[in-house]
Amino acid sequence: MLNALDADTEAMVGRKPLEGRSAIVTGSTSGIGLGIAQALAKAGAAVMLNGFGNPAEIETLRAALADDNDVDVAYDCADMSRPDAIHMMVERATARFGQIDIVVNNAGIQHVAPIGTFPAEKWDAIMAINLSSAFHLVQATFDAMCARRYGRIVNVASAHGLVASPFKSAYVAAKHGMVGLTKTIALEGAEFGVTANAICPGYVWTPLVEHQIDDQAKSHNIARDAVIRDVFLKNQPTKRFATVEEMGALSVFLCSDLAASITGTAIPVDGGWTAH
Ligand code: NAD
């Protein structure tokens, strides 16, 4: 009751909902991660960006995000497939921001191929980047969150964390794993003010999806334009791509004080796909 009143008072005096919080968003140089980082910064959080890309472009992005929102924004190039790099990123973020309140595990890759010819090294890379990185990053930040009695973990899973599609064995396995990991973290953090939730997007138009078109066309033996209609949007009843802004808005809410009782969930943002 007191928390709700505090939040209402803050809203009335115009404080941003995440002012004073600091976040790490993995894979935030592009797509959904960038959309979430932008939304968190706009909500007042300091943000550590992460991901690959052209250094000059990333610096332009970082500076604009900081200037536009009057928050501290840093960048760390940690490769999410490397636990040592993840731990170093946490050390740098903690030194810069003082503490880490919010972790968004978003970095991810995809590979589409029939299971009989699915390359083992792609399986290993998808498991490391899409799933194990979340374990390592939460392990490095969780105890401090519990000690401060506040923490928000947002895991970007997928509709493929709830249902499967052919030719995506590693991705579907990793995303189902991400949903399971989310539930376990939620139970361990529940008494300490630390929540963990998975966001399960349907198809969102990002470079990750764009790069799948050729492989999907080959695996399904159909033309590129048919991939969009008959594969990507076939099961998405809204017949539109979800947007990175929608993922950002949900993340801000999950990180706010008013989401304190939402934990252990896997929230579909999939245009009705998993309602089938
Ligand atoms: P994207 O390709 O636009 O962005 C991926 C980000 O991850 C980039 O910033 C990239 O540099 C980073 N990244 C990749 N490998 C990395 C590594 N080893 N270390 C650090 N960073 C790395 O993709 P996206 O579509 O924005 O996907 C983001 C997340 O959303 C992924 O986990 C993906 O599985 C999930 N998702 C995407 C969709 C979709 O339709 N686009 C749907 C459901 C879930």
Side-chain angles (χ1 to χ4, degrees), residues 18-133:
L18 302 182
E19 213 171 295
R21 304 294 191 199
S22 44
I24 295 177
V25 185
T26 70
S28 47
T29 52
S30 167
I32 293 172
L34 178 56
I36 292 175
Q38 285 170 328
L40 295 180
K42 199 169 173 195
V47 176
M48 175 65 84
L49 297 171
N50 159 261
F52 299 147
N54 175 299
E57 284 171 19
I58 294 172
E59 173 51 24
T60 304
L61 195 70
R62 186 207 64 75
L65 207 52
D67 289 350
D68 292 350
N69 300 291
D70 197 20
V71 291
D72 191 8
V73 180
Y75 165 71
D76 195 291
C77 64
D79 179 341
M80 286 299 113
S81 66
R82 289 185 39 208
D84 59 331
I86 294 171
H87 282 271
M88 280 191 301
M89 175 173 70
V90 170
E91 275 174 30
R92 282 192 282 260
T94 307
R96 176 142 177 168
F97 300 143
Q99 83 273 344
I100 308 302
D101 303 299
I102 296 165
V103 162
V104 181
N105 288 301
N106 166 80
I109 57 169
Q110 174 63 285
H111 188 78
V112 180
I115 193 148
T117 56
F118 203 95
E121 66 274 14
K122 291 285 183 195
W123 171 277
D124 290 342
I126 288 175
M127 285 299 154
I129 296 165
N130 294 23
L131 179 59
S132 299
S133 70

